[in-house]
Amino acid sequence: MRFISIPPNGASWSKQLIYSFDTELDEKEDVDVEIFNQTTHQLIARKRLYGVTRAEIDIAPILRSAVEMVVPRVESTAVLSSPMGIEVAVGIMGLMSAERRFCAAEVDIRHPQLMSYMPDSQTLAYGEEILFSVIAPEGVQISMVEHTLTSKRTISLVPDSNLLFYDVVICTSMFRGDVERIELSVMSGTEQLAHFYFDLVPRLADGRRLVWRNRRGGLESYRFTKSLPIVTEVDVDAYNTTAGLMAKLRGSKERYRLCSALEYGEALKSLREIIYAPYIYDIRFERLEDVTLATRRMEYSRCGELQSVALEIIGEWKGGER
């Protein structure tokens, strides 16, 4: 048994990932192909090929089904393994292939890089999260500087695990209440991947902050400053009683329109990706809530340039007074 060819590191499961092999037997036999997650040491899938000596198998559809591009549900600052990449090995007739790291999008994993589209400067409400994803072959180190009117303090964040694909979630509630600006530097080894500034303001009463993954698998987030109710649908049960006709609210759905501001550069690249995201979440008080979208629309200028994004969100009544 020998592998004839296997895909390269950094290949994407959105395309074909073909393993070809030769059993080196004279007679055709049924062969079990096993695909393993080398990070968790768990079997992802097993597939049987019938009556083969030389054959090939495309594992990309299996990985697309196995990897969920969800957003981490954490309520405190954390550096986590990201689902934008997976380390895989294939076993056939007792022989294991070389380990390969496959990604949501084709990427050169030999070099560290930021996988989120983030502007260098942003405004955040106190208590909101800073979210981004990186590929870091030499590990990731994060340095944060708190700036107040009279002082500054440096906080370092170095994860224990030496991973390759990282999701970073930083809850701004970890900072002191008088902090006005956060300066954040992301390093991998001796290379600086990004440098950001975040101005902290009091929590806003209006608007919605959504979080999702771009097509490369990186975390993205954006605050839509206005959330406008546009439709309300109500289900009411009516019934007769001795006191007369009574009505009881059984359920209702409201539809809200979210419109972005006119954005440019990295902020616009980030917003564009929400159109294609399979999972979108609303961040409320450091907790994620699933979002159901009725429509997603990109709006262009007369010159054909993308200017803003508009979404319609469906919200269901969850009990309580209306």
Side-chain angles (χ1 to χ4, degrees), residues 65-296:
S65 298
V67 179
E68 283 195 299
M69 301 299 285
V70 295
V71 172
R73 295 179 181 268
V74 296
E75 298 181 19
S76 59
T77 296
V79 180
L80 309 163
S81 177
S82 174
M84 66 181 170
I86 186 171
E87 188 173 352
V88 169
V90 172
I92 304 174
M93 298 178 68
L95 179 66
M96 294 293 291
S97 71
E99 296 176 356
R100 287 290 185 263
R101 293 177 172 92
F102 300 128
C103 309
E106 191 170 331
V107 65
D108 187 348
I109 62 172
R110 297 171 298 176
H111 304 293
Q113 52 199 292
L114 182 70
M115 298 299 285
S116 302
Y117 301 108
M118 294 178 65
D120 295 337
S121 181
Q122 298 182 49
T123 298
L124 287 180
Y126 187 82
E128 290 185 337
E129 291 88 354
I130 301 167
L131 304 106
F132 58 92
S133 303
V134 295
I135 291 178
E138 298 183 39
V140 65
Q141 305 88 39
I142 299 166
S143 175
M144 298 169 285
V145 182
E146 296 179 332
H147 292 270
T148 68
L149 283 174
T150 58
S151 65
K152 64 180 182 179
R153 181 180 68 152
T154 300
I155 303 172
S156 296
L157 183 61
V158 181
D160 296 332
S161 302
N162 189 22
L163 305 170
L164 176 63
F165 307 102
Y166 293 88
D167 284 339
V168 180
V169 181
I170 299 171
C171 298
T172 55
S173 57
M174 70 177 287
F175 302 113
R176 294 174 296 180
D178 59 344
V179 171
E180 295 185 339
R181 169 172 268 208
I182 302 297
E183 184 179 352
L184 189 149
S185 178
V186 184
M187 304 284 295
S188 179
T190 59
E191 185 171 346
Q192 181 171 283
L193 305 184
H195 197 87
F196 303 113
Y197 294 93
F198 299 91
D199 293 317
L200 297 186
V201 298
R203 187 182 294 276
L204 305 175
D206 197 8
R208 308 280 284 270
R209 185 149 183 264
L210 303 186
V211 57
W212 64 96
R213 288 192 184 274
N214 60 39
R215 284 171 288 179
R216 302 191 300 175
L219 291 170
E220 305 287 354
S221 63
Y222 183 83
R223 169 167 282 279
F224 293 83
T225 55
K226 291 294 182 181
S227 175
L228 304 175
I230 54 175
V231 175
T232 299
E233 299 176 1
V234 178
D235 294 324
V236 175
D237 291 329
Y239 50 93
N240 289 308
T241 69
T242 55
L245 184 65
M246 303 290 290
K248 182 179 180 181
L249 177 65
R250 178 159 47 89
S252 70
K253 291 183 180 179
E254 293 180 315
R255 188 174 293 189
Y256 301 86
R257 176 175 290 127
L258 307 180
C259 295
S260 72
L262 296 180
E263 301 288 0
Y264 304 92
E266 296 301 298
L268 193 57
K269 289 181 183 178
S270 174
L271 266 174
R272 183 194 300 269
E273 294 295 316
I274 199 173
I275 297 295
Y276 310 101
Y279 304 102
I280 301 174
Y281 306 87
D282 191 356
I283 303 180
R284 289 180 176 271
F285 305 104
E286 300 182 2
R287 294 187 178 183
L288 296 181
E289 295 181 3
D290 296 339
V291 167
T292 302
L293 292 186
T295 62
R296 314 181 191 203

Side-chain angles (χ1 to χ4, degrees), residues 35-45 67 85-89:
I35 300 137
F36 294 92
N37 182 330
Q38 292 298 91
T39 303
T40 62
H41 305 291
Q42 293 179 329
L43 178 68
I44 298 174
V67 179
I86 186 171
E87 188 173 352
V88 169

